[in-house]
Amino acid sequence: SYEVTQPLSVSVALGQTARITCGGNNIVSKNVHWYQQKPGQTPVVLIYRDSNRPSGIPERFSGSNSGNTAILTISRAQAGDEADYYCQVWDSNTWVFGGGTKLTVL
Amino acid sequence: EEQLVESGGGLVQPGGSLRLSCVASGFTFNIYSMNWVRQAPGKGLEWVSYITGSSDTISYADPVKGRFTISRDNAKNSMYLQMNSLRDEDTAVYYCARDEVAVGDKYYYYGMDVWGQGTTVTVSS
């Protein structure tokens, strides 16, 4: 079965740029979606199909996908961005979530 | 407002059964595929099962295959998850989440863009 790998944690200084990776074999051939989950809340879709933002999601959140790595980029990080972030792909009629990355804003 | 509301969670002994329900409102339920996603305490998201709007395609994660059954009743704007032979490791918050929308013979995906608040399933003796 297909696996996607995320770092357990990423730290970023306030106002700087954070990059969260999602690795998978030839992941560029798949559509990657990203979710944010704050403590005690339900997940929210940040990016769908690699780089598309739903309405209401700030432009500070962007996505890219190339080779074996998809990246969620968070520009001008804010304290409110502290959360768990998950990537997601569709493979063989199943959804696969990454293990999640905890973002800490310093 | 587009909304999903789960119910049916609770405490059950290992080997027992539960039936979860998810009721949709505020959108045309029958043109959307749907999912069950779970999250064990302190753990990440784990996809459980998927069903298309017409129920013609259904899939399951390997850990629940043969034990869980997904279904839906579009007349009642509802989706269900019948969970049998429950194990300790099935303990989690179970969310229903909206998937792709069918427009004619095409499907459009915008992420799992609507989630319920979750219902807690605890499997313990």
Side-chain angles (χ1 to χ4, degrees):
Chain A
S1 60
Y2 193 83
E3 293 185 358
V4 289
T5 304
Q6 296 182 237
L8 283 176
S9 63
V10 168
S11 297
V12 61
L14 187 68
Q16 297 304 302
T17 298
R19 294 176 180 83
I20 298 173
T21 58
C22 177
N25 184 35
N26 196 32
I27 200 170
V28 65
S29 66
K30 303 184 182 299
N31 288 315
V32 180
H33 321 285
W34 290 93
Y35 297 84
Q36 176 193 66
Q37 187 180 31
K38 296 182 179 180
Q41 298 185 18
T42 59
V44 172
V45 56
L46 290 177
I47 298 288
Y48 63 93
R49 282 188 268 121
D50 295 341
S51 59
N52 296 276
R53 268 188 319 275
S55 60
I57 300 300
E59 292 183 5
R60 301 187 299 107
F61 294 91
S62 62
S64 63
N65 188 3
S66 178
N68 295 317
T69 305
I71 300 174
L72 172 69
T73 300
I74 306 171
S75 304
R76 302 182 299 282
Q78 302 175 358
D81 296 334
E82 282 206 341
D84 294 323
Y85 292 83
Y86 298 90
C87 61
Q88 176 204 34
V89 300
W90 179 255
D91 178 77
S92 302
N93 274 352
T94 68
W95 282 114
V96 179
F97 283 102
T101 298
K102 182 176 182 61
L103 178 70
T104 301
V105 180
L106 303 172
Chain B
E1 179 190 4
E2 298 173 327
Q3 193 173 10
L4 297 170
V5 178
E6 305 95 336
S7 62
L11 174 64
V12 61
Q13 292 187 341
S17 298
L18 275 179
R19 188 192 194 213
L20 306 184
S21 298
C22 170
V23 178
S25 60
F27 63 94
T28 305
F29 182 66
N30 63 2
I31 63 173
Y32 284 89
S33 301
M34 297 292 295
N35 297 279
W36 287 100
V37 177
R38 68 185 181 184
Q39 188 167 34
K43 302 298 184 182
L45 301 174
E46 181 185 20
W47 172 77
V48 174
S49 187
Y50 161 92
I51 185 169
T52 53
S54 59
S55 303
D56 58 353
T57 299
I58 285 174
S59 58
Y60 298 97
D62 285 344
V64 308
K65 206 172 289 185
R67 300 187 299 123
F68 290 11
T69 302
I70 192 172
S71 62
R72 64 190 294 163
D73 183 340
N74 288 336
K76 295 182 178 179
N77 286 346
S78 296
M79 178 179 67
Y80 308 99
L81 186 68
Q82 177 66 44
M83 304 187 296
N84 298 331
S85 303
L86 282 162
R87 305 167 180 167
D88 290 353
E89 55 266 34
D90 295 319
T91 294
V93 175
Y94 284 73
Y95 297 101
C96 58
R98 193 172 77 173
D99 201 286
E100 64 202 351
V101 58
V103 180
D105 60 352
K106 295 186 178 180
Y107 289 85
Y108 297 89
Y109 188 69
Y110 302 101
M112 291 185 186
D113 61 348
V114 181
W115 294 68
Q117 84 289 349
T119 187
T120 300
V121 172
T122 303
V123 184
S124 175
S125 54

